[in-house]
Amino acid sequence: MIASIELKKSASKHLYLQLYSQLRELILKGELEADTKLPPIRKFSKKLSVNNITIVNAYNLLEEEDLVYKKVGSGTFVAPLTNQHKEEQNNYLDEQVYIDEDTKFTEQQEKMINFATGAPTPDLFPIAPFKRLVNKVLDRDGGYAFGYQKSQGYLELRKTISSYITNYNIKADIDEIQIISGAQQGIDILAKTFLDYGDTVFVERPTYPGAISVFNSRKANIVEIPITSEGIDTAVLEEKLAEYNPEFLYLMPNFQNPTGYSYSKTTKERIIELANEYSLLIIEDDCLGDLNYTSKDNKSLKSLDQNQRIIYIKSFSKVFMPGLRLAFLLIPNRYFEDILISKYISDIFTDGLVQRVLDLYFKEEMWEEQITTLKDTYSQRYQTMCNALQEYLPQKVEFTIPQGGLNFWLELPAELTDKKLQQQALKKDINLAPGSVFYAAAPPDNRIRLSIAAASQKEIRRGIKKLASIIKDQLENNGYQLNNSFLPLV
Amino acid sequence: MIASIELKKSASKHLYLQLYSQLRELILKGELEADTKLPPIRKFSKKLSVNNITIVNAYNLLEEEDLVYKKVGSGTFVAPLTNQHKEEQNNYLDEQVYIDEDTKFTEQQEKMINFATGAPTPDLFPIAPFKRLVNKVLDRDGGYAFGYQKSQGYLELRKTISSYITNYNIKADIDEIQIISGAQQGIDILAKTFLDYGDTVFVERPTYPGAISVFNSRKANIVEIPITSEGIDTAVLEEKLAEYNPEFLYLMPNFQNPTGYSYSKTTKERIIELANEYSLLIIEDDCLGDLNYTSKDNKSLKSLDQNQRIIYIKSFSKVFMPGLRLAFLLIPNRYFEDILISKYISDIFTDGLVQRVLDLYFKEEMWEEQITTLKDTYSQRYQTMCNALQEYLPQKVEFTIPQGGLNFWLELPAELTDKKLQQQALKKDINLAPGSVFYAAAPPDNRIRLSIAAASQKEIRRGIKKLASIIKDQLENNGYQLNNSFLPLV
């Protein structure tokens, strides 16, 4: 029976969850009888070519459900099935989750194909491990998990992050790491630290609207520098550096939001040069860097920085769970204290329980697995989106295929507008992000952003097909006859 | 056996936890044998004069530990003891919690008597119910507990709050409630909404330093209005209102931080009058209003407000768990949208899991119990502090006994300074808050704040005795002979 178990490393489900499900099924079906000894951890992990921890986690989950029991020194055994378990078996596949009013809202929206949001859907979150770890933390730390925490963040988590980011070729000491309540808070506290009334800040054009709002709230002077598919325009950047003295430049070098563009190696190196030449502080928001679907290098600017010119923001939201507000900053030493004060006045500290759970999540090596799982899911959606856009969209709609991330940035024919298209699409149960929200001033009105975060492959195909036909209709209503062989040559 | 059970309503432990512990002990000791039927819920609750929910919660906890089992339609029965349970019994009372490095730090500090912090110690947090509820939420909502939440907050929690605050004679619709990540964030987002460069804000003098920092960060002009033991000086307030046009007045009418002072009825009414007369917006931070140890009325300003002039901040930190960043704002309708935007740019939304847990906490009526528990503990500490101060302190140290809250505000003889006293006290393992941090400008240097949040009754007596002798030493070293019968009459 055990021999039938097979784990797919490429599958969109954690290895230990795969193992857990398969063992669970064998037990519930009665194919593994009560008191059967399960394979020892080391032996089993070798056989399946996985880490010991995969087996341990799977056995633990089964134990929590009383499907197995452990005897100290002799191993793990199948438990006798209770009546409840037998009943459960029948309901296993169609279990109904209690839906409260907020989630009902989401449910109602389910017929809506949502290309507007950059937030992943709940089915992609690692609920089972989270539940296990939160209980582990509560049993271990008791009240300490709920006490006041240091504003800088939980020491163990900072250690874990310090060691983890070496994978990204970044070195940062625990004293350069600041835990924050999500990337948005990171932008907010950096603005608090560096921007006063009338100060200048450089951003990419277009950029993340949450950053624009924060800089506006500080009454800063926002200077937008165009971004191309090679990254921010370094010639314009240099011009503007000669003209202004910005407090910092805020950018997203990989799979930028909203464009999906990634900076070329040349652009990255040139920015570092300019930063050194002009003593420019750079805030690098690495929102989606983990979602690289190509073999192309996507180093962070931070990993190229020799002169402590970069503050690096990384969120756990997209890849872990957006509901848990958690991110970190890597901060050159000379700025640390000022930023710590800004963190303090923002919310004093970040939830200690969640910090502890995330720390264990890393320590049990589940983070890597979750990234792999998500990359897997998203790269399939990405491929589907690429194909659908190329297959269905009229040629007059322009876009660059991104190398990773979640966003596709479309330029509509000049006679269409983002808002009008959004309105029409909403009527057909499709939502999208109008491009104009991504600009600080004088936005063009014919860009849209499509995100694959919350749409399945099926929805992507269906949605793009519909969207394409809405675009064609609008073009025709504009008196523009769409016929590829007779396109006017202007 | 069951007859031996007795619940103490005044004890510093939840009723259902008392019941749970006592039943657990009877079961583990074998005094309640396997398959004994436990009393039906209604009958038992009547006998013990408690709510049904107390019995339900206790039975649920026992069931989670497999100490009892339920038969649908027939009731709850004692389960047969496993070997694990028998082992557990021996370890029950001296279980060792794993201590990580951050908590070790706390441990090391345990010989330190901490009068400096306003944060309660971990032993006062309701860990067991939190654990039960977090699991309940995860089982019920799955991934929805981790998805993006509405910036305004979880609908069910807003409903719960809307109904709960009627206990405080406050009416607020769910559309006037904004969930935030702690009271500090509340102050921050209100400052973002209302304060620009050079705007004027009124505060009490002295006031909470976290508020001063936020207002300074907005480059506001802070005008301090003296507070007396009757509340803010309304004559000075009126003068200043004639002179300035403040964006708002920030105050804490009950058990103020740091003074512990409470506004008299007259002061409260006069403030409402002035607010109406001058169209003044008031931000009322009700940080400690629940901790009233006297029979004196401590109505909030919000409950007296007929004209939508007050934004009310209430935190769950002090009474629930400070580690969970959670509070709410009650906002007059006309300000709601602007504040929502400020919330959005601060951290988009507040942790959805914690919002859900708190909602259940209220729904299962545990909140009231927790408040009672804490009031009980703190009022004992408060009494001890009052006695110790009166017994040990030299007469030259002045203070007003507060009616509630956590803070005592002392005025030292002019020849002593807060910083120097703090230094000397630290050498003797006592920490206190120097008064000068509670002023926006020109602080006096002879005030200190002592908090009972993190000191036991024993520590309070021992700490105040020591502190008194340090003060006496310092006075003598200053050439000042402390002899009550020969006090100079100047």
Side-chain angles (χ1 to χ4, degrees), chain A residues 97 131 135 139-140 146 323, chain B residues 97 131 135 139-140 146 323:
Chain A
V97 176
K131 190 176 163 193
N135 281 290
D139 290 340
R140 188 192 68 183
F146 300 111
Chain B
V97 175
K131 190 176 163 192
N135 281 291
D139 290 341
R140 186 192 69 183
F146 300 111

Side-chain angles (χ1 to χ4, degrees), chain A residues 293-411:
Chain A
Y293 313 129
T294 69
S295 56
K296 256 198 154 170
D297 156 64
N298 68 326
K299 278 207 184 71
S300 64
L301 279 183
K302 182 74 178 169
S303 68
L304 304 171
D305 174 31
Q306 304 291 324
N307 296 296
Q308 306 274 67
R309 301 235 172 265
I310 295 178
I311 295 176
Y312 177 87
I313 309 180
K314 191 169 186 70
S315 163
F316 300 113
S317 298
K318 291 283 186 294
V319 276
F320 193 55
M321 296 175 173
L324 307 177
R325 312 306 296 144
L326 207 59
F328 66 86
L329 298 176
L330 305 181
I331 304 170
N333 211 272
R334 64 179 175 285
Y335 302 122
F336 203 91
E337 209 162 313
D338 290 343
I339 293 172
L340 186 63
I341 292 169
S342 295
K343 164 66 181 172
Y344 186 90
I345 70 176
S346 296
D347 66 351
I348 307 182
F349 59 85
T350 293
D351 188 323
L353 177 63
V354 177
Q355 291 192 60
R356 284 166 157 80
V357 172
L358 190 66
D359 177 49
L360 284 189
Y361 197 80
F362 271 104
K363 287 196 168 123
E364 299 197 1
E365 293 173 40
M366 289 193 256
W367 177 262
E368 297 271 7
E369 259 193 70
Q370 172 71 359
I371 298 265
T372 310
T373 301
L374 281 177
K375 255 177 77 169
D376 215 70
T377 305
Y378 285 136
S379 77
Q380 287 165 19
R381 292 184 185 178
Y382 161 84
Q383 203 49 61
T384 305
M385 180 61 105
C386 293
N387 297 342
L389 291 175
Q390 277 156 341
E391 185 174 341
Y392 297 120
L393 282 189
Q395 272 194 10
K396 286 274 284 182
V397 179
E398 290 183 13
F399 60 93
T400 305
I401 297 282
Q403 293 154 31
L406 298 171
N407 299 313
F408 290 74
W409 185 241
L410 275 53
E411 185 175 345

Side-chain angles (χ1 to χ4, degrees), chain A residues 178-386:
Chain A
Q178 170 69 55
I179 305 292
I180 49 178
S181 313
Q184 179 70 33
Q185 183 181 67
I187 299 169
D188 187 48
I189 73 178
L190 293 172
K192 277 197 183 93
T193 311
F194 296 109
L195 293 182
D196 275 335
Y197 185 85
D199 283 348
T200 295
V201 56
F202 284 7
V203 300
E204 298 159 318
R205 177 184 169 89
T207 189
Y208 168 56
I212 298 174
S213 305
V214 168
F215 304 152
N216 276 330
S217 153
R218 297 296 296 183
K219 300 275 182 272
N221 171 34
I222 302 177
V223 174
E224 298 177 276
I225 318 236
I227 181 173
T228 72
S229 59
E230 294 291 299
I232 203 165
D233 187 323
T234 50
V236 179
L237 174 60
E238 194 169 6
E239 256 170 51
K240 300 287 181 192
L241 280 171
E243 189 178 346
Y244 297 93
N245 187 15
E247 300 306 310
F248 59 80
L249 160 63
Y250 169 78
L251 43 70
M252 294 163 274
N254 290 299
F255 323 134
Q256 201 250 9
N257 182 12
T259 62
Y261 298 158
S262 295
Y263 288 32
S264 66
K265 196 162 166 269
T266 320
T267 307
K268 284 177 185 168
E269 286 166 357
R270 182 67 189 134
I271 288 175
I272 297 284
E273 276 172 23
L274 288 171
N276 289 330
E277 196 176 327
Y278 288 88
S279 296
L280 174 66
L281 173 62
I282 294 174
I283 293 176
E284 174 178 25
D285 189 351
D286 186 8
C287 46
L288 297 169
D290 288 307
L291 301 177
N292 185 0
Y293 313 129
T294 69
S295 56
K296 256 198 154 170
D297 156 64
N298 68 326
K299 278 207 184 71
S300 64
L301 279 183
K302 182 74 178 169
S303 68
L304 304 171
D305 174 31
Q306 304 291 324
N307 296 296
Q308 306 274 67
R309 301 235 172 265
I310 295 178
I311 295 176
Y312 177 87
I313 309 180
K314 191 169 186 70
S315 163
F316 300 113
S317 298
K318 291 283 186 294
V319 276
F320 193 55
M321 296 175 173
L324 307 177
R325 312 306 296 144
L326 207 59
F328 66 86
L329 298 176
L330 305 181
I331 304 170
N333 211 272
R334 64 179 175 285
Y335 302 122
F336 203 91
E337 209 162 313
D338 290 343
I339 293 172
L340 186 63
I341 292 169
S342 295
K343 164 66 181 172
Y344 186 90
I345 70 176
S346 296
D347 66 351
I348 307 182
F349 59 85
T350 293
D351 188 323
L353 177 63
V354 177
Q355 291 192 60
R356 284 166 157 80
V357 172
L358 190 66
D359 177 49
L360 284 189
Y361 197 80
F362 271 104
K363 287 196 168 123
E364 299 197 1
E365 293 173 40
M366 289 193 256
W367 177 262
E368 297 271 7
E369 259 193 70
Q370 172 71 359
I371 298 265
T372 310
T373 301
L374 281 177
K375 255 177 77 169
D376 215 70
T377 305
Y378 285 136
S379 77
Q380 287 165 19
R381 292 184 185 178
Y382 161 84
Q383 203 49 61
T384 305
M385 180 61 105
C386 293

Side-chain angles (χ1 to χ4, degrees), chain A residues 66 97-103 105-107 110 119-120 122 125 127 130-131 134-135 138-150 153-156 158-159 181 184-185 188 192 196-197 208 210 213-214 217-219 317-318 321-325 344-354 356, chain B residues 66 97-103 105-107 110 119-120 122 125 127 130-131 134-135 138-150 153-156 158-159 181 184-185 188 192 196-197 208 210 213-214 217-219 317-318 321-325 344-354 356:
Chain A
D66 295 323
V97 176
Y98 167 83
I99 303 292
D100 61 65
E101 202 149 326
D102 265 14
T103 49
F105 176 74
T106 317
E107 293 279 299
E110 252 174 30
F125 306 150
I127 308 305
F130 180 87
K131 190 176 163 193
V134 79
N135 281 290
L138 291 173
D139 290 340
R140 188 192 68 183
D141 297 347
Y144 291 101
F146 300 111
Y148 265 72
Q149 312 289 320
K150 289 184 190 154
Y154 177 55
L155 178 62
E156 282 299 314
R158 285 186 287 126
K159 282 186 196 163
S181 313
Q184 179 70 33
Q185 183 181 67
D188 187 48
K192 277 197 183 93
D196 275 335
Y197 185 85
Y208 168 56
S213 305
V214 168
S217 153
R218 297 296 296 183
K219 300 275 182 272
S317 298
K318 291 283 186 294
M321 296 175 173
L324 307 177
R325 312 306 296 144
Y344 186 90
I345 70 176
S346 296
D347 66 351
I348 307 182
F349 59 85
T350 293
D351 188 323
L353 177 63
V354 177
R356 284 166 157 80
Chain B
D66 295 324
V97 175
Y98 167 84
I99 304 292
D100 62 66
E101 203 148 327
D102 266 13
T103 50
F105 176 74
T106 316
E107 292 280 299
E110 255 176 27
F125 306 150
I127 307 304
F130 180 87
K131 190 176 163 192
V134 80
N135 281 291
L138 290 173
D139 290 341
R140 186 192 69 183
D141 297 347
Y144 291 100
F146 300 111
Y148 265 72
Q149 311 289 321
K150 288 185 192 153
Y154 177 55
L155 179 61
E156 281 300 315
R158 284 186 289 125
K159 282 186 197 163
S181 312
Q184 179 69 34
Q185 182 180 70
D188 187 49
K192 276 197 184 93
D196 275 336
Y197 184 86
Y208 168 56
S213 305
V214 168
S217 154
R218 297 297 295 184
K219 300 276 182 272
S317 298
K318 291 284 187 294
M321 296 175 172
L324 307 177
R325 311 305 295 143
Y344 186 90
I345 68 175
S346 296
D347 66 352
I348 306 182
F349 59 86
T350 294
D351 188 323
L353 178 63
V354 176
R356 284 165 157 80

